[in-house]
Every structure is written in C-alpha cells, then in structure tokens.
C-alpha cells in the first residue's frame, strides 16, 4: 500500500511526504524528481522548451511507473490529478490524501521560489486563485483532505500516519 499526497503547489506535500516516509520507514518518491531525472531537465526547462502538454505526457508515464510499486510515500506534482488515469493508478494501491491551503497561504509559501513555471507570471496570486478554483473538483476525488493553513507540517504528517495505520493496521 502506498500513501499518495496530492494537492496544489505550496500546500506542503514534499515536507509532509518526507516526514511520513521517515517515520514509517517507507520510500519517499517524487513524481517531479522522477520526471527531471528521466528528462535530464528541470521542470522549468521542460515547460519552456517543450510546453505543458509534453510535461503532462511525461508526468503520466511517471505515474504509471511509480504507482506500479508498493511501500512508498508518493509526492505528486500539483497537476497530477488532471488526468483521470493518474487518479485511478494512484488509488489502486494507495491512500490518496489531498493537502489543501488558502490562496494567501499558498502565495506566502511559493512567492520566494522560481521553480514553478505556472506561478512565474506577473500576478501569481491571481493565478493561484484561478487554477485552484479550476482544480477543486479534481482534488475532491482524494480519499482524505487536510487543510495545512493553520497546522504544522509534522501535525499533518501525524494525521496521515493515523489514517494509514487505521487502514493498513501496521
Ligand atoms: C504543477 C506543480 C508542480 C510541478 C509543475 C506543475 C502544477 O509541482 O509538477 O510545476 O500543475 O500544479 P508541486 O506541486 O510539487 O510544486
């Protein structure tokens, strides 16, 4: 059984996934890192040189490969849920948890970084609101939802560990 973290950029997926992996001795796997190693390019380079469509195709392949294995905490890119096939693959042997946060908090957490092509725009806060709204129905498909606006990342990790133990009985 895998633990799959989905959610918008800046909701804490990477930090929380690493904490869970360490505490449960599971393997941490990031679909974005998988893509960067496979393509030998950064996410920014893939978007600017080949476009988002190409990125989504490579992301689809990464999900197929990663989701075929067990015993992992999978840290997905924020747009992974846009593909119904990705959701099916990831849920088949995984508990899907969506991390959530408000646009202001997301903006606060992402503003200082430049590695997210979708947010390298003149009005990132407006963009965050827009994309978040357009993806609500996709994120709703997760099995569990945790709002990270007001809790620490290790509290979010503990909540997910509880869910996992209840489900897997470890
Ligand atoms: C994206 C999120 C990013 C990365 C890419 C696209 C998105 O991952 O996959 O920049 O569409 O929301 P993080 O959510 O880890 O930042």
């Amino acid at each position: 059984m895998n633990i799959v973290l989905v959610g918008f950029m800046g909701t804490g997926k990477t930090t929380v996934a690493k904490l869970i992996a360490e505490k449960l001795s599971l393997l941490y796997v990031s679909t974005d890192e998988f893509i960067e190693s496979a393509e030998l390019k950064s996410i920014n380079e893939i978007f600017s040189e080949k476009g988002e469509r190409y990125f989504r195709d490579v992301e689809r392949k990464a999900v197929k490969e990663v989701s075929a294995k067990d015993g992992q905490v999978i840290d997905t890119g924020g747009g992974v849920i846009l593909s119904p096939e990705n959701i099916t693959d990831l849920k088949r042997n995984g508990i899907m948890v969506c991390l959530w946060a408000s646009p202001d908090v997301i903006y606060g957490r992402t503003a200082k970084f430049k590695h997210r092509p979708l947010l390298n725009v003149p009005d990132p806060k407006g963009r965050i609101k827009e994309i978040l709204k357009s993806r609500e129905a996709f994120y709703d498909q997760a099995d569990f939802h945790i709002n990270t606006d007001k809790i620490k990342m290790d509290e979010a990790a503990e909540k997910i560990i509880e869910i996992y133990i209840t489900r897997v009985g470890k």
Side-chain angles (χ1 to χ4, degrees):
M1 182 64 90
N2 292 323
I3 297 175
V4 182
L5 295 193
V6 299
F8 202 78
M9 298 168 269
T11 51
K13 296 180 300 270
T14 302
T15 308
V16 172
K18 285 183 174 167
L19 285 169
I20 299 170
E22 199 186 313
K23 289 190 185 180
L24 293 179
S25 299
L26 296 173
L27 187 69
Y28 166 84
V29 180
S30 147
T31 56
D32 279 351
E33 281 178 12
F34 187 101
I35 293 165
E36 291 183 324
S37 311
E39 294 290 302
L40 298 175
K41 283 183 179 17
S42 69
I43 303 288
N44 265 333
E45 285 167 339
I46 300 172
F47 268 73
S48 67
E49 292 171 20
K50 306 214 166 168
E52 180 169 353
R53 181 79 185 271
Y54 179 85
F55 173 79
R56 297 298 168 203
D57 287 346
V58 195
E59 186 173 54
R60 171 76 199 110
K61 288 186 195 131
V63 168
K64 250 187 180 169
E65 202 156 320
V66 167
S67 63
K69 298 186 193 124
D70 270 317
Q72 316 165 104
V73 185
I74 306 177
D75 172 18
T76 66
V80 90
I81 40 67
L82 295 171
S83 153
E85 290 89 1
N86 283 346
I87 298 190
T88 305
D89 281 352
L90 291 164
K91 275 186 161 183
R92 190 173 298 125
N93 57 343
I95 302 169
M96 186 177 281
V97 182
C98 178
L99 299 187
W100 192 253
S102 61
D104 284 345
V105 170
I106 290 173
Y107 177 69
R109 289 183 189 152
T110 55
K112 54 187 177 296
F113 299 108
K114 285 280 162 265
H115 64 280
R116 295 184 172 101
L118 294 178
L119 302 183
N120 290 337
V121 293
D123 175 21
K125 205 189 261 191
R127 191 79 192 276
I128 289 167
K129 285 186 185 156
E130 195 181 285
I131 312 179
L132 201 53
K133 186 101 201 100
S134 73
R135 290 186 182 170
E136 261 173 28
F138 296 94
Y139 291 129
D140 272 355
Q141 295 173 70
D143 303 308
F144 298 91
H145 294 81
I146 296 174
N147 188 325
T148 64
D149 270 355
K150 296 195 179 106
I151 61 170
K152 295 203 182 85
M153 294 302 163
D154 57 347
E155 289 175 63
E158 281 308 326
K159 280 181 195 282
I160 297 168
I161 289 171
E162 261 179 56
I163 292 169
Y164 176 81
I165 289 173
T166 311
R167 193 61 88 79
V168 175
K170 201 173 174 184

